[in-house]
Amino acid sequence: MQQRYNADVSRGTPAGSRKLALVCFFLSAFSMVHTCLAHHSSAMFDDKKTVTVTGTITRFEWSNPHVYIYLLQPTAGGQPIEWEVECSPPSILGRLGWTRETLHSGDSITVIGRPPREQGKFGLLPNTIKHGDTILFDRKGETAQLANADPAHTPTPGVKDAGIEGVWVTLLALTVEKSLDTDKMALTTKGKTAVKRFDEKTMHPGAQCIASPAPFFMITPDLKRITKADGVMLIDGEFDGAQRTIHMEAAPSSDPPDSIQGYSVGRWEGRSLIIDTTHFAYSWMGNSYGLPSSARKHLVERLTPDADGVSLTYHFELSDPEFLAAPVAGDARWLLRPDLAYAPPKCDLENASRFTRRPGDLKSNVSQ
């Protein structure tokens, strides 16, 4: 069956590509409709075309940071084409009801999505995935689901005084796009130069399974788990499978080494947990998409349980005078979900680095 190309309503520009990539990285929305929900830019896909492919699954890879579907499409010429469908991370698809058992080799599905810009490459960024008459994935619906509470979920009775410990769902923070868009942020000269120099294929830390630093770690719409240990609070994030250590009321006795998540000191202010973090390691995506962070990065966060006892408000204030000409602030909302199991898939290095392939690396994949 031949491909069917349709004109898409979206239009791409360099500034728009940066915005899309930004929101991809923060697992926010780009244009609040074309959500990529991935750990890298979607610039390799053509936002002016869509392709409809119906075929048989040869492999369903439930892996972090991307779920991949390999789809064998019959053609009029007799030689089938294998398409690589790049889906959202397991931590995101899991919130939409998917599991590693949702699809299997041999299943017939239809995918409507954006093809690669480069001719002769057979990949798809899906807008819709259908299994028979069942819609398994809809990109517009994904945005709405991640930004809102599950209407079918009723908070578990008896957890109103649980504080901040437990398993939480982070809702998609639609306002974060504005606060962390490099086109709108006040940048220093060095910051502007860094954004122009950024090359995703060679500089993206996610390709090496390096976790996103806070505050991005905290606004990613995945599951979070907060636990208490001896003198510390631990915050785990399912998307990266990473962990932050908050040292309660304890400044370091000596100068700690710089690290991706920095050194965090926590204190209670009423029911709010205040987190003050310094000693961040230099990171190419430490402040925004393509905007590095320096050792001068300083992050102050507040986790405040809401009056209902089953939600909290996350607030951050970010400064880095080396790259940011003015501080940045933002908010997100978390919902307590003790009914969900925190089970982060391990980041697969080969999976994470697939988007860095140079032109021609993803060939036609024609089965012999």
Side-chain angles (χ1 to χ4, degrees):
M1 181 170 58
Q2 297 296 321
Q3 306 164 34
R4 300 192 297 276
Y5 288 84
N6 307 299
D8 195 6
V9 296
S10 58
R11 292 293 181 266
T13 64
S17 294
R18 286 198 301 274
K19 180 180 287 187
L20 301 191
L22 165 73
V23 184
C24 269
F25 177 58
F26 303 132
L27 299 185
S28 237
F30 40 143
S31 303
M32 300 307 148
V33 174
H34 298 289
T35 343
C36 114
L37 297 172
H39 83 304
H40 63 84
S41 164
S42 65
M44 70 183 75
F45 296 99
D46 192 335
D47 60 1
K48 298 179 182 179
K49 295 179 180 178
T50 58
V51 179
T52 299
V53 176
T54 298
T56 303
I57 296 175
T58 59
R59 179 157 56 104
F60 177 50
E61 183 179 306
W62 184 265
S63 185
N64 207 23
H66 289 284
V67 172
Y68 281 97
I69 302 170
Y70 291 89
L71 191 63
L72 203 61
Q73 176 197 26
T75 66
Q79 283 190 318
I81 297 172
E82 187 175 61
W83 292 80
E84 180 182 87
V85 183
E86 181 182 296
C87 301
S88 302
S91 57
I92 300 303
L93 289 180
R95 285 193 55 193
L96 305 179
W98 285 51
T99 72
R100 63 177 64 250
E101 300 299 323
T102 295
L103 293 171
H104 299 88
S105 296
D107 288 348
S108 177
I109 62 172
T110 296
V111 181
I112 303 172
R114 292 163 50 186
R117 295 182 184 276
E118 185 181 350
Q119 295 296 314
K121 297 175 70 174
F122 293 84
L124 282 176
L125 185 67
N127 293 328
T128 305
I129 300 176
K130 295 178 66 176
H131 185 198
D133 294 330
T134 302
I135 297 177
L136 296 176
F137 175 82
D138 174 72
R139 194 164 296 282
K140 293 182 181 180
E142 180 186 37
T143 303
Q145 283 182 265
L146 296 175
N148 296 281
D150 181 356
H153 170 64
T154 302
T156 304
V159 298
K160 286 187 176 292
D161 297 320
I164 66 169
E165 292 182 71
V167 174
W168 301 83
V169 161
T170 304
L171 299 186
L172 182 65
L174 302 181
T175 57
V176 170
E177 178 189 9
K178 297 179 181 179
S179 63
L180 293 171
D181 185 342
T182 54
D183 289 333
K184 299 175 181 178
M185 296 167 75
L187 305 181
T188 63
T189 300
K190 188 172 183 179
K192 295 175 183 178
T193 301
V195 171
K196 291 180 180 179
R197 285 186 53 221
F198 180 71
D199 178 5
E200 181 180 71
K201 290 183 178 295
T202 60
M203 298 175 179
H204 198 309
Q208 301 174 19
C209 286
I210 297 175
S212 304
F216 322 121
F217 176 98
M218 302 289 277
I219 61 177
T220 300
D222 61 355
L223 292 189
K224 303 291 193 304
R225 182 181 64 184
I226 301 180
T227 54
K228 184 185 296 183
D230 187 19
V232 300
M233 300 292 289
L234 301 175
I235 304 178
D236 298 276
E238 191 175 55
F239 173 64
D240 285 321
Q243 184 180 80
R244 295 183 65 191
T245 300
I246 315 301
H247 303 268
M248 298 304 297
E249 309 285 353
S253 57
S254 59
D255 201 29
D258 293 347
S259 64
I260 292 296
Q261 299 297 344
Y263 188 91
S264 299
V265 176
R267 60 182 174 83
W268 293 103
E269 190 174 280
R271 297 185 67 209
S272 297
L273 176 62
I274 313 299
I275 306 171
D276 193 302
T277 307
T278 56
H279 292 85
F280 285 97
Y282 182 95
S283 171
W284 260 112
M285 307 255 302
N287 284 325
S288 181
Y289 177 79
L291 180 64
S293 61
S294 74
R296 300 172 70 187
K297 175 180 175 179
H298 183 199
L299 180 66
V300 179
E301 304 158 284
R302 178 186 293 264
L303 288 166
T304 304
D306 297 331
D308 60 11
V310 293
S311 62
L312 63 79
T313 299
Y314 169 75
H315 175 77
F316 73 87
E317 296 178 10
L318 170 69
S319 63
D320 186 343
E322 189 165 337
F323 294 107
L324 297 174
V328 179
D331 297 273
R333 187 163 174 251
W334 295 15
L335 303 181
L336 187 64
R337 290 298 300 270
D339 57 308
L340 299 180
Y342 176 81
K346 184 178 180 181
C347 182
D348 182 275
L349 189 58
E350 193 277 331
N351 179 299
S353 62
R354 284 180 196 169
F355 78 95
T356 64
R357 288 178 293 210
R358 291 301 193 264
D361 290 345
L362 178 57
K363 301 183 188 298
S364 61
N365 288 325
V366 177
S367 291
Q368 301 298 319

